[in-house]
Amino acid sequence: MATTSCHLSWQPRLIFNYPRLRSSSPKVIRFKCSASQTGFFTRLGRLLKEKAKSDVDKIFSGFSKTRSNLAVIDELLLYWNLSDTDKVLDELEEALLVSDFGPRITIKIVESLREDILAGKLKSGSDIKAALKKSVLDLLSKIGNKTELQFGYRKPAVVMIVGVNGGGKTTSLGKLAYRLKNEGAKILMAAGDTFRAAASDQLEIWAERTGCEIVVAEREKAKASSVLSQAVKRGKEQAFDIVLCDTSGRLHTNYSLMEELIACKKAVGKAVPGAPNEILLVLDGTTGLNMLPQAREFNEVVGITGLILTKLDGSARGGCVVSVVDELGIPVKFIGVGEGLQDLQPFDAEAFVNAIFS
């Protein structure tokens, strides 16, 4: 078993320009960990998974509207009897559709319940509720442990963040950096959103807030692929654990910008073989099932490895999580349940099901 030795040291937070280097005066505590590549990332993944289970309360509060929409199910099942089966299942179907479970999944769940009721396997309202929860959990769990971040075995691990404008991409990157840094990882940010003038400034603010270093483009309209390549090379040279790469927001129908993502992916792969380890697509949870076309297109272009669903704190669309996983086979790795630094939560299927069907 790999062992890990850690120590605290003072050193300045550096901001790396592309191609020059400039430093800022504030100093932060750097928590350094030395370990074998495999041991460090295995430990980091385990810590994130354990943290997800301890964040159930935040997930619970985040899905209050979804839970309210689905509360009718408890009322339906409270005095359930066999003669009311068709009526109850019709209303249960409506409740699932209102919560954006999607027609295909809703029909699959309801028909499965109907078969089990008629076969005598479900004999009470509590039996039906338990079977409903199990159906949703099975749908979310069929991809196994792929909900965990896959960092590979070579440092630095590289994570690309992609998505449309306004979905919470840069914010999610900052919150992810905060979480990973708090678990002992040395993080380098890369400001690859070179199309939006304020994007680098926004990410620099996140770097300041989280005490991470950042690589930014010095000149306007620099190629994003060049910025990311430079960042990954610096990450390798200066022993960073993880490089988090921001990219320009784009509509999934803008093919020229989508092509740029391919160039970014190739550039980081040349800098570190096997990179990027993760390509995470940020989706706005308030858009509900409208997120599916976005996910399909991004996945076709660059091969999405995981999803970050944001803005679920004020949305009644929690069922979209199930729809995305079922229809695309892409795991949800994080969900955004608030505006705070700690409100990007590792996705835990069991906690999610308990939150919406409490």
Side-chain angles (χ1 to χ4, degrees):
M1 181 179 295
T3 58
T4 305
S5 61
C6 306
H7 64 275
L8 290 170
S9 64
W10 288 95
Q11 72 178 54
R13 186 186 75 82
L14 300 178
I15 296 182
F16 293 109
N17 271 325
Y18 170 70
R20 292 205 309 262
L21 173 68
R22 62 185 170 89
S23 61
S24 60
S25 56
K27 295 185 177 181
V28 299
I29 294 178
R30 169 75 58 205
F31 185 71
K32 292 185 177 180
C33 289
S34 58
S36 69
Q37 311 286 40
T38 306
F40 176 77
F41 287 135
T42 299
R43 172 180 171 274
L44 182 59
R46 184 177 68 251
L47 288 170
L48 289 176
K49 188 173 183 179
E50 291 171 353
K51 182 63 176 173
K53 293 188 179 298
S54 70
D55 287 333
V56 173
D57 287 344
K58 287 222 171 192
I59 296 172
F60 185 87
S61 62
F63 287 105
S64 57
K65 288 189 178 181
T66 300
R67 190 164 55 255
S68 177
N69 276 358
L70 295 175
V72 67
I73 294 174
D74 288 326
E75 298 174 18
L76 291 171
L77 299 178
L78 183 60
Y79 301 107
W80 175 85
N81 61 71
L82 189 60
S83 62
D84 291 334
T85 296
D86 288 339
K87 178 184 176 182
V88 168
L89 290 180
D90 284 346
E91 293 190 43
L92 187 151
E93 179 179 309
E94 182 178 348
L96 293 176
L97 288 172
V98 167
S99 296
D100 267 0
F101 273 79
R104 190 162 70 92
I105 290 178
T106 297
I107 292 172
K108 181 190 300 186
I109 291 173
V110 171
E111 289 309 308
S112 176
L113 292 175
R114 190 188 308 276
E115 290 176 9
D116 287 345
I117 290 171
L118 296 178
K121 296 179 181 179
L122 307 177
K123 301 179 180 180
S124 67
S126 59
D127 287 347
I128 296 173
K129 176 72 173 293
L132 172 60
K133 291 176 67 174
K134 184 179 184 302
S135 294
V136 176
L137 182 59
D138 288 346
L139 287 168
L140 292 172
S141 303
K142 65 183 179 180
I143 50 178
N145 65 353
K146 293 182 180 179
T147 55
E148 298 176 16
L149 288 174
Q150 306 297 309
F151 290 124
Y153 305 101
R154 181 183 289 110
K155 290 186 182 181
V158 180
V159 179
M160 280 179 58
I161 309 292
V162 302
V164 302
N165 287 315
K169 187 166 44 63
T170 303
T171 299
S172 294
L173 187 151
K175 292 178 181 179
L176 181 57
Y178 174 81
R179 181 172 287 275
L180 292 171
K181 185 174 184 293
N182 279 358
E183 300 299 348
K186 185 180 179 183
I187 305 297
L188 177 63
M189 296 180 178
D193 185 350
T194 56
F195 280 90
R196 189 163 58 95
S200 292
D201 293 339
Q202 184 183 357
L203 197 62
E204 284 194 52
I205 292 172
W206 275 104
E208 198 71 42
R209 290 180 70 185
T210 58
C212 295
E213 285 111 24
I214 182 172
V215 172
V216 299
E218 185 177 57
R219 58 186 177 83
E220 293 184 4
K221 296 183 179 180
K223 287 186 177 180
S225 56
S226 297
V227 177
L228 298 191
S229 176
Q230 181 71 9
V232 174
K233 288 176 182 177
R234 288 192 181 277
K236 185 177 180 180
E237 293 167 359
Q238 299 181 12
F240 282 87
D241 297 312
I242 302 168
V243 180
L244 298 178
C245 301
D246 196 12
T247 60
S248 301
R250 65 208 68 219
L251 291 174
H252 57 289
T253 52
N254 189 323
Y255 296 107
S256 62
L257 287 179
M258 292 293 278
E259 286 291 322
E260 185 197 59
L261 286 182
I262 299 176
C264 290
K265 182 178 179 180
K266 290 180 178 178
V268 299
K270 288 181 180 179
V272 173
N277 303 85
E278 292 273 10
I279 301 179
L280 303 180
L281 172 62
V282 176
L283 294 171
D284 182 343
T286 63
T287 62
L289 294 176
N290 291 326
M291 68 176 63
L292 286 170
Q294 296 177 25
R296 291 191 192 103
E297 194 65 38
F298 275 94
N299 188 46
E300 184 176 338
V301 172
V302 289
I304 302 301
T305 61
L307 303 171
I308 299 176
L309 297 189
T310 62
K311 306 180 185 179
L312 293 176
D313 52 320
S315 170
R317 300 170 179 265
C320 64
V321 176
V322 189
S323 295
V324 170
V325 173
D326 181 67
E327 294 194 26
L328 300 179
I330 301 172
V332 179
K333 304 213 172 187
F334 291 90
I335 55 175
V337 294
E339 298 299 323
L341 273 173
Q342 300 180 19
D343 290 337
L344 184 71
Q345 305 294 327
F347 182 70
D348 181 88
E350 186 175 357
F352 168 79
V353 172
N354 288 333
I356 65 173
F357 290 111
S358 61

